Amino acid sequence: MTDKGGGSLMHPVEFQSGNETLRGRLHMPRTDAKTPGILILPGFADTAGGMHDMHAHLAKALQRSGFTVLRFDYRGLGESDGDFREFTVQFALEDAWNALALLRRRPEVNAEVIGVSGFSLGGALAAQLASRLPEIRAMCLWAPVAFPERVFNGFFNEAHKAQGKSRGWMDWMGWAVGHRFLTTAGSFDPLAAIEQSRAEALVLHGTSDQEVLPENASAYGDKGCDVRWLDGGDHLFSSVTLEEQAISATVDWFSDKLLTNKAGYSL
């Protein structure tokens, strides 16, 4: 456990998902009261820290604002066990569900007041979780995937796909991606899930995102989500200003939705 003297704590956690041990970091404000819990879901081939540590920075900012936050690595990624060649959307959703169960069991957390922040694929998974758990009161989706099959087919060229068919996995940017990931990517519908969710959702999306095109954010907006555009932003929020804007908007959103009595629940 780490205490940096700022009135908060962070320590590593482990939990089981499928046959693997997953690992993450739990960030807790120093308080005796139960706090809302927030789960951070990484994107595809992403880790608990995130590109340029953006998930870690978000977790710390939320922690300072009074939330207990869990960020973790999917199986086969980061510090978690497993082989990324086996990674599929279904496995990622199972990992996310088990991480959420761990967060809600924590004695520091009010299990009835939960938020989820998801990046890219993690945004689509957040919608799936919220469709199944009404205790998820709010979501913040960073560049979320709305059309999984379309988006992920665009990640891989014909040579990658030929590799997948011939040997069962693709050598993609240094990642060994299993062919099953691509063939099963269209097996879930985050837009249908968002319609079934009662959580209030904020979408943050860069206008210059070339990996998950802005049409994905617009599709969430058509389902009633609050969409805010980051002018000139790319998929990875790869400038200090973009990251700070996204973190500030996320903290404000969760503070408004989860730290007040507007929804009629008691903290």
Side-chain angles (χ1 to χ4, degrees):
M1 183 177 294
T2 301
D3 184 354
K4 294 297 185 181
S8 57
L9 299 169
M10 183 274 288
H11 70 81
V13 294
E14 294 186 352
F15 59 98
Q16 293 301 121
S17 189
N19 296 321
E20 307 295 350
T21 299
L22 273 54
R23 297 177 178 88
R25 293 288 185 272
L26 189 73
H27 299 256
M28 300 166 292
R30 186 179 289 281
T31 176
D32 293 331
K34 286 184 178 291
T35 69
I38 295 180
L39 177 66
I40 295 178
L41 296 176
F44 173 68
D46 189 18
T47 65
M51 291 294 294
H52 47 86
D53 292 332
M54 65 181 183
H55 303 326
H57 295 159
L58 174 60
K60 293 172 185 177
L62 289 166
Q63 176 190 40
R64 289 192 295 269
S65 295
F67 298 97
T68 298
V69 186
L70 175 62
R71 55 188 175 92
F72 74 100
D73 293 317
Y74 300 116
R75 67 186 78 181
L77 288 165
E79 297 182 346
S80 292
D81 293 345
D83 186 340
F84 191 56
R85 290 173 177 85
E86 302 300 318
F87 183 89
T88 65
V89 168
Q90 292 75 21
F91 284 168
L93 184 58
E94 183 181 4
D95 295 348
W97 189 256
N98 288 323
L100 182 60
L102 170 67
L103 178 64
R104 296 185 70 221
R105 288 195 303 268
R106 293 292 307 188
E108 306 90 352
V109 171
N110 181 346
E112 303 302 309
V113 185
I114 299 295
V116 182
S117 180
F119 166 63
S120 195
L121 172 62
L125 298 178
Q128 297 293 128
L129 294 183
S131 71
R132 297 166 56 182
L133 188 70
E135 287 79 7
I136 296 176
R137 309 274 185 163
M139 295 184 289
C140 192
L141 313 180
W142 291 26
V145 172
F147 309 108
E149 187 170 25
R150 186 188 313 172
V151 167
F152 291 114
N153 264 288
F155 279 21
F156 307 102
N157 60 33
E158 292 307 312
H160 292 131
K161 295 171 185 178
Q163 286 178 355
K165 289 179 181 178
S166 65
R167 66 185 182 188
W169 60 277
M170 301 171 282
D171 188 342
W172 177 73
M173 299 178 64
W175 294 101
V177 180
H179 187 57
R180 278 206 310 142
F181 171 78
L182 190 56
T183 59
T184 60
S187 62
F188 78 122
D189 185 348
L191 295 178
I194 209 80
E195 287 187 307
Q196 298 169 14
S197 164
R198 288 186 281 175
E200 295 185 78
L202 172 66
V203 174
L204 302 172
H205 212 109
T207 58
S208 298
D209 191 335
Q210 296 300 305
E211 296 179 57
V212 178
L213 296 177
E215 66 186 23
N216 287 265
S218 296
Y220 280 99
D222 291 342
K223 299 298 182 181
C225 299
D226 184 345
V227 179
R228 300 183 194 173
W229 300 102
L230 300 180
D231 189 36
D234 64 357
H235 186 58
L236 300 177
F237 298 81
S238 51
S239 80
V240 173
T241 299
L242 285 171
E243 182 186 302
E244 288 179 345
Q245 288 175 349
I247 289 175
S248 177
T250 302
V251 171
D252 288 348
W253 181 261
F254 284 130
S255 296
D256 180 59
K257 304 303 179 185
L258 302 182
L259 291 179
T260 71
N261 254 350
K262 291 180 180 179
Y265 52 81
S266 299
L267 297 178

